[in-house]
Amino acid sequence: MTETESKWDEKLKRFFKDYYWNEILQLANEYPDQRSLSVDFTDIEKFDRELSKEFLDHPEELIKAAEAALREIDLPVEKNLEEAHVRVIKTPNRISIRELRSKHLSRFIAIEGMIRKATEVRPRITKAAFECLRCGYLTFVDQNSFKFEEPFAGCEGENCGKKGPFKIRIEDSTFIDAQKLQIQESPENLKGGSQPQSLEIDSEDDLTGDVTPGDRVIINGILKSRQRTLKDGKSTFYDLVLEANSIEHLDKDYDELEITSEDEEEILELSRDPEIYGKIVSSVAPSIYGYEDIKEALALQLFSGVVKNLPDGSRIRGDIHIMLVGDPGIAKSQLLRYVVKLSPRGVFTSGRSASASGLTAAAVKDDLNDGRWTIEGGALVMADMGIAAVDEMDKMKTEDKSALHEAMEQQTISIAKAGIIATLKSRCALLGAANPKYGRFDRYEGLAEQISMPPALLSRFDLIFVLLDTPDHNLDTKIANHILQSHYAGELFEQREKLPGSHIKEDFVEAEMEVIEPVIQPEIMRKYVAYARKNVFPVMEEDARAHLIKFYTDLRKTGESKNTPVPVTARQLEALVRLSEASARVRLSNTVTLDDAKRTIRITMNCLKNVGVD
Ligand code: ADP
Ligand code: MG
């Protein structure tokens, strides 16, 4: 017994008996199918403050001591809990990945985020048996580190002690399942669209195979460092890796955005404003001039329709997919960035992103992980339950194009490659932007061909907007004014930031910025959207339903007679329903009214006109 173990042994045993007796009995019954005792950190704190503090500072020793104590507890059943683990959950030391510093090394911490990569589960040797080829004796060497250890002290056989040769005996060695994961900051925790950071995780035994990319988790464990190797030796830099002790799954509706009761009051107050609709729409990208229809549609996308789970087990998505197609330099990218900022969970990416996973997901052989196959979730997986804004979609990879069909409609991504079969979730709304292949959009050419996307894929978008850059002196002057004004306001804003507390300055700046400032500030808008999506599930009134059906059937009739670029199918009806529901959600209303239906039809008509159905 080590010093720490004997010091804490009595206390730990008493803790287990007082707090976890039933759980231990259950573990003993199920062992070895169940191998972990899950301990709530707050229980340790309640039991003994000193012990809980010691645990955070010296987790390695304390976990060993706890597992030793667990093994020695007298059980009513005949069981040896030799390989049982003590797994601690709900640790208070929640640290964001970008705040990890060397002071956290060897401490017990909790990291929250989304799983981005997961390798295959593979055995790792923990105790290697070396057979001495001279005397036949088996020498065991514990394998605790990353590097394979050989019997340096020589054969332990009586009167032998020779330095080999040895032969490793697999059948007498001990192995454990091991899996490497990569966790990444969740989109809702990123401020201002910054790039997410990630951390490597080592998991073993019964923790393996438990998560897939896209899962939201809290991982509790010990932060370790691993020395980097250079071509000609070792580096003075170390990489961080978290040795997982326990994994907590966050439920799918988990919402990180904290909405206080004051926020809620403000949200409800806003929702009662008869002008709420206009206020929300004008708070979408106020620094972009014009595009009222598009901003309206983007607002609806933020609020989203309602998911429907049908009795036969199938599911109709509530997420609204929108595509912006058009000439370069007309603020498509800007609109995308704005939506990401307003979405409670937004992910921005480009179709030509270099990562292997691309937009959907990939199984790659990752040399970082000793050449093991690794599943990596792409943007649509990481945007699960949010909005994925994909710029330059025309430049996306061919594999992504085919995977997108499933990702957009079923909202899952299936991988079957090299013996790996996995299904990842991608329950997000897609906001795409594409530039036409030949630089400028030609309104007499087919849309699908110009942005090199198959019509079947285009038909999965609820709305497609075509933006043309036609010189118009009047409009150009207005845009120019607007742009210069927002630049000027931006500068003043920066100055104001540098001079907090100067009221004279503030008043002056406020006056100058009138046009550009959103009516509803982004922070409260994000909360408003999150609140609506979580609490409001509108149902359609009869006259709204009749109105939509009439519009749809008429559309089918005209669609048939013309050669439309995007066929009018039942998908359009579903899209109309989603948009109307989103429209009701804007005022936090549980009923979709005729007005919502009419608004939806107006937006849809404008869109169809652009793509050439009229
Ligand atoms: P795109 O992605 O369509 O090629 P960008 O989003 O990169 O275009 O826009 C190019 C620049 O032009 C941006 O700085 C944007 O703010 C500006 N811009 C273009 N149209 C407008 C507009 N209607 N209002 C304000 N700024 C605009
Ligand atoms: Mg662009």
Side-chain angles (χ1 to χ4, degrees):
M1 214 181 250
T2 66
E3 207 176 302
T4 323
E5 282 175 28
S6 51
K7 183 172 170 209
W8 296 102
D9 192 48
E10 275 311 307
K11 255 195 189 154
L12 285 163
K13 279 183 185 147
R14 198 146 46 78
F15 170 69
F16 282 140
K17 282 188 184 142
D18 289 357
Y19 281 74
Y20 282 88
W21 187 238
N22 287 336
E23 288 82 353
I24 289 171
L25 290 183
Q26 196 198 333
L27 172 68
N29 275 329
E30 306 279 326
Y31 191 84
D33 292 335
Q34 191 193 330
R35 288 190 295 286
S36 290
L37 177 71
S38 186
V39 173
D40 191 326
F41 186 83
T42 45
D43 287 335
I44 311 179
E45 255 179 338
K46 258 186 264 164
F47 173 73
D48 187 321
R49 281 235 150 229
E50 202 197 341
L51 177 65
S52 70
K53 192 180 168 314
E54 187 70 11
F55 182 82
L56 294 180
D57 292 343
H58 303 285
E60 187 112 39
E61 291 88 341
L62 262 287
I63 289 172
K64 273 208 190 93
E67 287 174 355
L70 180 65
R71 275 197 291 276
E72 285 168 15
I73 285 181
D74 288 323
L75 295 167
V77 286
E78 196 58 45
K79 271 276 169 75
N80 177 2
L81 303 180
E82 191 60 48
E83 314 268 282
H85 308 283
V86 173
R87 304 212 180 272
V88 178
I89 58 168
K90 309 231 163 72
T91 25
N93 277 2
R94 191 84 69 82
I95 294 156
S96 80
I97 296 173
R98 63 185 61 225
E99 278 162 6
L100 286 175
R101 294 293 178 268
S102 41
K103 69 173 179 202
H104 298 121
L105 281 174
S106 308
R107 296 288 147 83
F108 201 78
I109 57 169
I111 298 283
E112 185 193 321
M114 281 176 98
I115 300 295
R116 173 152 176 97
K117 294 187 194 177
T119 66
E120 294 172 282
V121 178
R122 282 289 176 267
R124 182 175 88 74
I125 196 163
T126 54
K127 190 181 258 184
F130 291 93
E131 181 186 339
C132 176
L133 293 183
R134 292 177 199 266
C135 75
Y137 189 83
L138 284 184
T139 299
F140 291 93
V141 180
D142 284 336
Q143 305 290 336
N144 292 319
S145 76
F146 205 39
K147 195 169 157 283
F148 187 67
E149 302 276 347
E150 314 226 11
F152 292 120
C155 174
E156 287 170 7
E158 232 175 307
N159 309 324
C160 181
K162 298 252 167 38
K163 301 266 182 208
F166 297 104
K167 183 177 146 231
I168 186 153
R169 293 200 26 141
I170 296 296
E171 60 274 33
D172 292 307
S173 301
T174 317
F175 290 86
I176 198 166
D177 289 328
Q179 184 179 34
K180 260 182 196 294
L181 307 170
Q182 193 186 61
I183 189 171
Q184 180 174 308
E185 292 170 293
S186 308
E188 61 268 28
N189 295 333
L190 293 174
K191 300 233 164 61
S194 49
Q195 278 304 306
Q197 296 195 1
S198 58
L199 178 71
E200 237 182 80
I201 310 284
D202 274 348
S203 69
E204 287 192 341
D205 202 20
D206 53 346
L207 287 185
T208 59
D210 191 30
V211 295
T212 40
D215 286 358
R216 283 161 197 278
V217 292
I218 295 174
I219 300 184
N220 303 285
I222 306 171
L223 190 67
K224 291 285 180 76
S225 60
R226 223 164 259 163
Q227 193 166 17
R228 281 189 206 163
T229 44
L230 304 171
K231 269 195 211 82
D232 51 354
K234 289 181 174 175
S235 156
T236 53
F237 286 95
Y238 281 72
D239 283 323
L240 293 176
V241 51
L242 186 70
E243 274 184 19
N245 170 261
S246 66
I247 300 179
E248 295 172 60
H249 287 260
L250 299 173
D251 53 3
K252 60 178 199 285
D253 296 326
Y254 179 83
D255 222 314
E256 176 60 27
L257 261 192
E258 200 199 342
I259 300 179
T260 63
S261 50
E262 289 100 79
D263 290 335
E264 187 170 346
E265 232 164 76
E266 190 175 348
I267 289 167
L268 294 176
E269 176 71 33
L270 269 172
S271 75
R272 285 189 287 266
D273 186 337
E275 301 292 312
I276 181 62
Y277 202 84
K279 283 188 176 173
I280 294 270
V281 173
S282 60
S283 301
V284 175
S287 63
I288 307 291
Y289 182 84
Y291 299 136
E292 301 308 327
D293 296 348
I294 295 176
K295 290 181 186 177
E296 202 171 351
L298 296 178
L300 295 183
Q301 183 181 40
L302 283 169
F303 283 87
S304 156
V306 179
V307 187
K308 282 153 207 106
N309 292 302
L310 306 182
D312 67 353
S314 58
R315 173 181 176 281
I316 301 177
R317 68 177 153 96
D319 292 306
I320 297 164
H321 300 316
I322 296 179
M323 174 66 128
L324 309 178
V325 182
D327 300 334
I330 51 170
K332 297 186 301 297
S333 303
Q334 291 287 353
L335 285 167
L336 259 56
R337 288 195 184 276
Y338 223 99
V339 169
V340 168
K341 242 203 266 173
L342 293 179
S343 162
R345 272 177 199 156
V347 171
F348 183 93
T349 187
S350 168
R352 62 161 133 206
S353 113
S355 90
S357 54
L359 295 180
T360 51
V364 287
K365 217 162 191 161
D366 201 330
D367 39 316
L368 280 176
N369 296 320
D370 324 317
R372 273 188 284 183
W373 282 98
T374 304
I375 303 180
E376 185 176 337
L380 270 70
V381 174
M382 301 316 279
D384 187 38
M385 310 295 285
I387 293 184
V390 183
D391 206 359
E392 317 213 14
M393 269 191 89
D394 47 304
K395 302 195 182 59
M396 71 185 169
K397 293 183 215 154
T398 333
E399 306 94 77
D400 272 338
K401 266 181 214 171
S402 45
L404 262 184
H405 289 252
E406 182 197 350
M408 290 177 74
E409 212 57 59
Q410 279 74 47
Q411 302 202 294
T412 55
I413 295 166
S414 306
I415 297 183
K417 186 175 170 186
I420 296 180
I421 295 176
T423 304
L424 311 182
K425 298 189 191 84
S426 66
R427 295 157 302 178
C428 63
L430 177 60
L431 171 58
N435 291 312
K437 226 190 312 190
Y438 310 113
R440 273 194 165 253
F441 195 79
D442 182 345
R443 61 166 77 223
Y444 304 107
E445 283 289 324
L447 172 66
E449 203 267 335
Q450 287 193 66
I451 56 171
S452 36
M453 249 192 261
L457 195 54
L458 280 180
S459 76
R460 281 166 168 78
F461 284 93
D462 298 58
L463 294 170
I464 300 171
F465 287 97
V466 177
L467 296 76
L468 296 177
D469 187 17
T470 34
D472 170 336
H473 183 72
N474 239 336
L475 188 65
D476 290 346
T477 314
K478 281 190 188 136
I479 294 179
N481 270 328
H482 195 87
I483 291 178
L484 290 184
Q485 191 151 8
S486 41
H487 281 202
Y488 185 45
E491 264 167 43
L492 287 173
F493 191 73
E494 269 169 30
Q495 283 173 18
R496 180 177 71 170
E497 292 290 278
K498 283 185 202 138
L499 288 170
S502 156
H503 292 292
I504 305 162
K505 202 125 210 150
E506 220 158 280
D507 292 343
F508 161 68
V509 174
E510 225 69 76
E512 291 289 334
M513 291 207 303
E514 230 164 25
V515 197
I516 312 302
E517 281 265 310
V519 190
I520 302 170
Q521 293 298 322
E523 301 91 80
I524 189 72
M525 178 100 155
R526 285 174 86 202
K527 290 180 179 173
Y528 192 102
V529 170
Y531 183 89
R533 292 176 65 130
K534 202 170 166 184
N535 298 303
V536 185
F537 299 92
V539 177
M540 200 169 294
E541 277 183 346
E542 196 40 53
D543 50 352
R545 186 191 310 270
H547 198 69
L548 287 184
I549 290 175
K550 166 112 187 27
F551 173 74
Y552 169 71
T553 45
D554 288 352
L555 197 64
R556 287 276 290 178
K557 245 185 263 154
T558 33
E560 247 166 54
S561 57
K562 294 197 178 170
N563 201 4
T564 54
V566 178
V568 178
T569 65
R571 284 219 179 89
Q572 260 81 12
L573 183 59
E574 285 177 6
L576 291 166
V577 172
R578 278 190 280 272
L579 290 161
S580 308
E581 287 165 347
S583 167
R585 266 183 168 170
V586 172
R587 16 166 241 287
L588 305 185
S589 162
N590 277 315
T591 37
V592 178
T593 61
L594 185 58
D595 277 346
D596 292 317
K598 283 182 176 161
R599 172 175 297 127
T600 298
I601 288 172
R602 176 172 45 76
I603 298 170
T604 309
M605 285 293 283
N606 281 336
C607 247
L608 291 171
K609 239 187 268 155
N610 279 327
V611 290
V613 187
D614 44 20

